[in-house]
Structure formats: structure tokens, C-alpha cells
Amino acid sequence: MPWNRTTREEYKREAVRYESDIADVEWALVETPIPRPGQMDRP
């Protein structure tokens, strides 16, 4: 990914973060398919 003004603003780090952290935009893409706690339990 090329760094430009848009991507630098989107991925700006204001605090110490880990490599595994993802941006809010990225989380919005994967949040829906992940089942909520308790939904994977046996009936």
C-alpha cells in the first residue's frame, strides 16, 4: 500500500499499538461474520 495523505490519516497511530491491531474501517468488514459470544454454544 502506498503511503499518501489519505492512508497516513487513516492509519495514524496516536498511542502504542500492536501489529495485529486493525483500523476501524477494517474491523467493520470482519465484525459481522464473527459470531457473538454464546451463539456458538450447543442448544
Side-chain angles (χ1 to χ4, degrees):
M1 160 182 36
W3 289 105
N4 56 38
R5 291 178 195 225
T6 304
T7 55
R8 284 190 189 279
E9 185 62 30
E10 183 177 344
Y11 293 98
K12 180 171 59 173
R13 296 181 180 189
E14 296 179 0
V16 175
R17 295 176 61 184
Y18 297 96
E19 288 182 14
S20 60
D21 288 353
I22 61 175
D24 292 337
V25 174
E26 295 167 326
W27 177 248
L29 295 173
V30 298
E31 180 181 23
T32 305
I34 298 175
R36 300 226 180 257
Q39 289 181 339
M40 294 179 59
D41 295 343
R42 295 179 68 174

